[in-house]
Amino acid sequence: MVAIFRNFSTARSSVQYIPRRLSLYAADRDLRRLDGNSFPFFDERKQLESRLVSLLDGCDGLVQLKQVHARVYRKGLEQCCYVLAKLVRTLNELGVPVDSYQRLVFRQVHAQTMLIGGFCSDLYVGNTLIGMYVSCCDLGSGRKVFDEMLHRDVISWTTLIVAYTKTGDMVSAGDLFDGLPVKDMVAWTAMVTGFAQNAKPREALQFFKRMQDAGVETDEVTLAGVISACAQLGVAKYAKWVQDVAEKSGLGPTDNVVVGSAMVDMYSKCGNIEDAYLIFKGMKERNVYTYSSMILGFAIHGLAQAAMQLFNEMVETETKPNKVTFIGVLAACSHVGMVDQGKRVFSLMEKHYGVVPDGDHYACMIDLLGRAGHLNEALKLTETMPVKPHGGVWGALLGACRIHRNPDIAQIAASHLFELEPHAIGNYMVLCNIFASAGRWDDVSDVRKLMRGKGLKKNPGCSWFESKEGEIHEFFAGDTKHPRSSEINGVLEDLLQRLKGLGYQQILSSVAYDVSEDVKKGILMAHSEKLALAFGLLDSSANRPIRIMKNLRICEDCHSFMCGVSHIIGREIIVRDNVRFHHFNGGTCSCGNFW
DNA sequence: ATAGGGTTAG
């Protein structure tokens, strides 16, 4: 067959024009007519190929696809790489989950293309093979095809780069990118987005700057990644800069719904909920992302009424709420303890809006009940909910046990969590904290032993602050490496004395170590958010709010410290912890001590 | 023909 195919392909090279998209019926009829021929000559092979391709184009189900597949073999067309490649594409487009049938097709395609060296010379087939392996999570085979291809284009590279970013292997992705001879906008964007999606926002922003210096164009997809990076970092200065860049490229938030929605999220996560709302208001078109981002923005700022009101406005429009929208509404209730409202929304979401609650929604409900102190009700709901509770659900319960100091329920939650997420360090730390504040030091040391046994290390507390110049200064707990470290300590000492004069007492139970009181006091004063606050006072200009970002939940002692400092200095302090914002002003916090 | 996309509770 191979020999015949090659002979004919040199002897008769003219192929008649065949429209690509025929109706299913016509394609099928033509195929049947061609069935009469016992031996496929080149032109007829070409015709068959086109017919099969158009059949695949019109394919709307797995059954049809399998029929076409069978026909490929019946007609001896298994060497037509294009048809096989198309078959794989169609499987992907149909969204068929990777099962044994799909693997069978993959193996056949690979075997045939190996046989005739298809992917060595044909870019489309090679790229399809890479994509195919990537889609079934066999990156190694994808890489092998890539390495064996004689010619590669930027698409081959980008497919593989993206595959590496999706597995979190940014090093391999970066190596590939560096070796890419001609980098286009899509390839650059893949890297920027890859960093953003792998929680490396700083690298994402650096890459975007490099991209701009290289004179590469920017479009809305690139911006989406960059904006997401800014949101993660929460840096207001970059946020403004990115908006400038966007508007210069004609992709401002007013006219572009993707850019606008991402910016709503970005500004609210930078602490500028007012700017977020301004963007929202100014947008010409709003979709479910836009509304959900805004509702979530209100939620993390503790503005539950605004979130509810916006939700009510939303359901009057054409835009239907989805899963994420309800996460936002429930989170809003949770952050202020609106238990009854939350329960009502939860009960209506399926009945009125057709959104079936999933594990994440239950996690919100457990969080809502737990935060409000209804720990037993929360436990009961966890045990009776219709879907199997995932880590988030038990995690919410564990978090509630920390707030309300309930080591017994905490143990139940933790035992599930250690099964479901054995490597998630945060769970062990929270349990340690709960036992520590109950004075159960033996239990604390058991948990620490368990962690050591698994080779887990504490996730260090880290805070950062954006200086006047837009530089990001990062502080770890107990950090003395900052060049202005001694000044920082001086500021803290001064603040501590003045607060003590007002009756402030350090909350020693916030320390999860069994050490002396003096050591505890020292540990508390070296918490990263306090270091960042002191540096903020040294650096920033007066009358502007001080914005601090933190990777973990703010501790009780730091919370009360911030309250006091906001009173002393007469300035607003905004702290973003891992879940929400705290606006400290004149001695009180926007969370009303409920967080 | 084939590559990059914004929001998600603990």
Side-chain angles (χ1 to χ4, degrees), chain A residues 242-429:
Chain A
V242 168
Q243 191 173 351
D244 281 350
V245 173
E247 267 161 13
K248 273 183 202 135
S249 323
L251 294 161
T254 315
D255 300 306
N256 189 305
V257 70
V258 174
V259 170
S261 307
M263 279 191 181
V264 168
D265 176 58
M266 172 176 80
Y267 278 116
S268 68
K269 285 189 178 153
C270 287
N272 297 338
I273 190 68
E274 297 88 357
D275 288 346
Y277 193 59
L278 278 177
I279 300 258
F280 178 86
K281 273 297 195 198
M283 286 171 68
K284 290 196 179 124
E285 183 197 337
R286 303 184 193 106
N287 62 19
V288 66
Y289 282 91
T290 328
Y291 277 102
S292 303
S293 296
M294 195 66 239
I295 289 173
L296 238 114
F298 285 137
I300 60 176
H301 284 273
L303 299 166
Q305 296 301 341
M308 286 304 299
Q309 198 188 323
L310 186 60
F311 175 73
N312 290 332
E313 282 174 32
M314 177 187 180
V315 297
E316 299 293 317
T317 68
E318 298 281 287
T319 313
K320 296 272 164 290
N322 68 6
K323 282 171 180 297
V324 181
T325 320
F326 282 103
I327 298 275
V329 178
L330 293 174
C333 296
S334 179
H335 283 312
V336 297
M338 295 188 340
V339 177
D340 292 337
Q341 283 247 42
K343 280 183 179 170
R344 218 188 66 232
V345 170
F346 187 75
S347 70
L348 288 180
M349 59 185 275
E350 185 171 1
K351 242 185 287 174
H352 279 196
Y353 305 105
V355 180
V356 182
D358 64 10
D360 295 342
H361 297 107
Y362 277 94
C364 290
M365 284 309 287
I366 307 298
D367 186 55
L368 171 69
L369 294 168
R371 261 179 219 283
H374 309 309
L375 287 179
N376 286 313
E377 195 182 344
L379 176 62
K380 204 173 148 213
L381 182 58
T382 309
E383 287 168 342
T384 56
M385 56 190 264
V387 283
K388 187 175 182 290
H390 60 225
V393 179
W394 290 112
L397 187 60
L398 185 66
C401 292
R402 161 157 71 178
I403 298 168
H404 298 286
R405 317 209 160 182
N406 189 321
D408 298 327
I409 295 184
Q411 248 170 330
I412 300 172
S415 69
H416 287 95
L417 277 171
F418 296 163
E419 288 232 331
L420 291 166
E421 311 176 331
H423 300 293
I425 181 73
N427 300 327
Y428 297 88
M429 292 310 302

Side-chain angles (χ1 to χ4, degrees), chain A residues 83-102:
Chain A
V83 175
L84 291 170
K86 186 73 193 176
L87 196 72
V88 171
R89 292 272 164 210
T90 313
L91 263 173
N92 273 339
E93 280 163 19
L94 288 175
V96 183
V98 180
D99 62 1
S100 50
Y101 171 68
Q102 200 158 351

Side-chain angles (χ1 to χ4, degrees), chain A residues 83-323:
Chain A
V83 175
L84 291 170
K86 186 73 193 176
L87 196 72
V88 171
R89 292 272 164 210
T90 313
L91 263 173
N92 273 339
E93 280 163 19
L94 288 175
V96 183
V98 180
D99 62 1
S100 50
Y101 171 68
Q102 200 158 351
R103 285 186 193 284
L104 173 83
V105 177
F106 288 173
R107 269 202 305 278
Q108 284 175 354
V109 177
H110 200 172
Q112 290 300 334
T113 44
M114 289 281 276
L115 201 68
I116 57 173
F119 65 75
C120 292
S121 53
D122 189 306
L123 268 173
Y124 175 73
V125 173
N127 287 343
T128 301
L129 273 173
I130 298 178
M132 172 185 100
Y133 280 117
V134 165
S135 74
C136 64
C137 301
D138 187 356
L139 228 168
S141 302
R143 179 63 190 244
K144 238 180 113 206
V145 173
F146 177 84
D147 289 336
E148 285 168 9
M149 282 167 78
L150 290 180
H151 311 285
R152 308 176 193 105
D153 62 2
V154 67
I155 294 174
S156 333
W157 295 80
T158 310
T159 308
L160 214 52
I161 289 173
V162 170
Y164 279 119
T165 67
K166 293 260 159 77
T167 63
D169 185 356
M170 289 309 293
V171 176
S172 302
D175 287 345
L176 264 182
F177 182 82
D178 290 339
L180 177 51
V182 184
K183 304 165 168 64
D184 69 358
M185 180 171 70
V186 179
W188 278 99
T189 303
M191 288 302 290
V192 172
T193 312
F195 279 119
Q197 289 174 345
N198 282 295
K200 294 188 188 317
R202 220 168 296 200
E203 287 85 343
L205 290 180
Q206 275 168 10
F207 238 89
F208 180 60
K209 276 196 173 150
R210 271 180 60 195
M211 180 176 173
Q212 289 219 306
D213 292 343
V216 184
E217 263 187 286
T218 299
D219 72 358
E220 56 170 6
V221 184
T222 322
L223 281 174
V226 179
I227 294 170
S228 161
C230 282
Q232 289 177 51
L233 266 182
V235 282
K237 204 150 210 145
Y238 280 91
K240 289 271 181 246
W241 175 72
V242 168
Q243 191 173 351
D244 281 350
V245 173
E247 267 161 13
K248 273 183 202 135
S249 323
L251 294 161
T254 315
D255 300 306
N256 189 305
V257 70
V258 174
V259 170
S261 307
M263 279 191 181
V264 168
D265 176 58
M266 172 176 80
Y267 278 116
S268 68
K269 285 189 178 153
C270 287
N272 297 338
I273 190 68
E274 297 88 357
D275 288 346
Y277 193 59
L278 278 177
I279 300 258
F280 178 86
K281 273 297 195 198
M283 286 171 68
K284 290 196 179 124
E285 183 197 337
R286 303 184 193 106
N287 62 19
V288 66
Y289 282 91
T290 328
Y291 277 102
S292 303
S293 296
M294 195 66 239
I295 289 173
L296 238 114
F298 285 137
I300 60 176
H301 284 273
L303 299 166
Q305 296 301 341
M308 286 304 299
Q309 198 188 323
L310 186 60
F311 175 73
N312 290 332
E313 282 174 32
M314 177 187 180
V315 297
E316 299 293 317
T317 68
E318 298 281 287
T319 313
K320 296 272 164 290
N322 68 6
K323 282 171 180 297

Side-chain angles (χ1 to χ4, degrees), chain A residues 19-76:
Chain A
R20 263 190 57 73
R21 274 206 178 260
L22 298 170
S23 76
L24 252 185
Y25 172 75
D28 207 49
R29 188 195 52 206
D30 288 350
L31 261 177
R32 233 170 274 153
R33 191 167 50 74
L34 287 162
D35 260 344
N37 296 320
S38 55
F39 194 81
F41 290 93
F42 180 72
D43 274 0
E44 283 154 2
R45 289 182 67 98
K46 276 285 160 199
Q47 282 186 30
L48 278 170
E49 201 179 328
S50 298
R51 296 292 187 272
L52 287 165
V53 167
S54 52
L55 268 181
L56 285 169
D57 269 338
C59 217
D60 62 0
L62 194 55
V63 178
Q64 271 184 1
L65 186 127
K66 283 186 178 174
Q67 284 168 358
V68 179
H69 187 197
R71 197 168 269 172
V72 169
Y73 276 80
R74 205 161 63 237
K75 294 185 174 301

Side-chain angles (χ1 to χ4, degrees), chain A residues 8-25:
Chain A
F8 275 95
S9 74
T10 47
R12 308 170 66 178
S13 59
S14 71
V15 181
Q16 72 183 90
Y17 173 74
I18 298 153
R20 263 190 57 73
R21 274 206 178 260
L22 298 170
S23 76
L24 252 185
Y25 172 75

